[in-house]
Amino acid sequence: MDGHFNPGLLKLAREARGWSQTTLASEANVGQGSVSKYEKGSMAPGPRQVEALAAALAMPVAFFAQSDVRPAAVLYRSRVLRSSRREATVRARLNL
């Protein structure tokens, strides 16, 4: 990876798996606080951390170097029929 890391794509990949930050941290063997900082962009992961996160999420390392997040609209017939967590998972899967 060229040093650029897109924090939005980390969150997108995590939500597509339906994982919490804690689950990702456990799977990648990094701290939950670090995952939170990576997703907020307040701290950049090192090459080893990126590799561990990519492996845990079954994504190529290059995925996290892309420059943009592709938003998708998710429409529901009734907002009562969905949870916010389920909506985040569906939205993330559509954007991958």
Side-chain angles (χ1 to χ4, degrees):
M1 201 162 98
D2 65 0
H4 175 75
F5 179 80
N6 187 328
L9 292 176
L10 176 61
K11 183 174 182 179
L12 184 72
R14 176 182 60 78
E15 288 179 341
R17 301 269 313 192
W19 287 357
S20 66
Q21 289 180 347
T22 304
T23 302
L24 175 56
S26 175
E27 293 291 323
N29 200 27
V30 298
Q32 183 275 325
S34 295
V35 171
S36 176
K37 290 176 184 176
Y38 299 156
E39 287 185 358
K40 290 178 185 174
S42 60
M43 185 168 86
R48 288 186 183 153
Q49 288 82 14
V50 174
E51 289 175 12
L53 293 164
L57 293 164
M59 300 296 288
V61 171
F63 173 79
F64 300 105
Q66 296 178 63
S67 61
D68 62 346
V69 177
R70 300 165 299 275
V74 179
L75 304 175
Y76 293 89
R77 291 182 67 162
S78 173
R79 294 184 66 82
V80 175
L81 299 177
R82 60 131 178 107
S83 70
S84 60
R85 183 176 195 119
R86 180 69 181 145
E87 180 181 356
T89 300
V90 170
R91 187 177 307 276
R93 286 182 180 164
L94 287 172
N95 286 313
L96 284 180

